[in-house]
Amino acid sequence: MGSLRRVANAAAGIVLFILSLLLITDPQGGYQVVLMILMLTFTIYGLRMLVYYFTMARHMTGGIRLLYKGVIILDAGLFMFYLNSIPRLYVMFYLLGGLALSGVIDILQANYARKLQAGNWRYQIFYGILKVLILVPALFYLDSVRSLTYIYAAGLIHTAFTCLVTAFRRTEIVYVE
């Protein structure tokens, strides 16, 4: 990982950590912020994937998957614009559904990494199980905007921590001779 990438990861981690602290300090106003963050994140990521597809990935094997993924993520981002006008209970269902799906995917990837004897499967399976376990108490607080904000802030803190660890981790360089 280059120096510029490390600085970008560290800056992203710091910004996400500050943003999560702001959400924790004002959970009632955090609902609008959570929706805005989700909308911007999905929209920008979807656009990035589409630009990547049209510039490079269309010439790659399996590049069409990136086109489909980019369109779906962009559509999800644009869908977030309309979540402000629907009841907040549906937003909780979307957030918890995404959390459940992400947790199950993490567990399945960790299981596959364990079969391949990769070294980082323990962290990934722990985090996947943690995501699924967060769902149980969250189901009792579906009507609470405060719980939506706290769940999202906890996810932001984890993402910030991951960005910071990635920025300062030594990377191994493999040379092929």
Side-chain angles (χ1 to χ4, degrees):
M1 180 183 308
S3 312
L4 187 62
R5 185 77 169 166
R6 287 184 189 277
V7 170
N9 271 348
I14 291 169
V15 167
L16 288 175
F17 188 72
I18 290 170
L19 190 59
S20 65
L21 289 179
L22 290 174
L23 287 175
I24 290 172
T25 56
D26 183 24
Q28 292 300 334
Y31 176 75
Q32 299 295 330
V33 175
V34 168
L35 283 180
M36 188 61 66
I37 292 170
L38 286 173
M39 183 263 310
L40 286 174
T41 303
F42 278 97
T43 304
I44 291 170
Y45 185 64
L47 286 174
R48 276 186 50 204
M49 292 195 74
L50 289 176
V51 167
Y52 178 67
Y53 171 76
F54 286 115
T55 56
M56 292 187 67
R58 65 182 168 155
H59 304 293
M60 296 173 15
T61 303
I64 194 76
R65 284 186 15 217
L66 292 174
L67 173 68
Y68 296 147
K69 188 176 177 182
V71 167
I72 290 171
I73 291 174
L74 179 64
D75 186 45
L78 295 175
F79 176 69
M80 295 287 174
F81 278 118
Y82 300 106
L83 286 181
N84 197 18
S85 62
I86 65 172
R88 292 180 178 170
L89 183 64
Y90 295 136
V91 177
M92 273 302 278
F93 282 130
Y94 288 125
L95 180 67
L96 294 179
L99 190 65
L101 182 65
S102 177
V104 169
I105 288 172
D106 283 346
I107 291 170
L108 292 175
Q109 284 178 341
N111 192 29
Y112 183 69
R114 183 182 57 86
K115 286 180 184 176
L116 294 177
Q117 297 175 348
N120 64 345
W121 67 271
R122 287 182 182 91
Y123 171 74
Q124 196 170 10
I125 201 162
F126 169 74
Y127 189 60
I129 291 171
L130 185 67
K131 283 181 184 178
V132 172
L133 289 177
I134 286 173
L135 292 174
V136 176
L139 289 174
F140 294 108
Y141 300 104
L142 282 176
D143 291 334
S144 172
V145 175
R146 177 172 261 153
S147 66
L148 168 75
T149 307
Y150 287 149
I151 290 170
Y152 192 72
L156 281 181
I157 289 172
H158 175 266
T159 304
F161 178 73
T162 304
C163 285
L164 289 171
V165 167
T166 303
F168 295 111
R169 180 183 296 154
R170 285 185 23 186
T171 56
E172 296 179 12
I173 300 174
V174 178
Y175 294 101
V176 178
E177 294 183 25

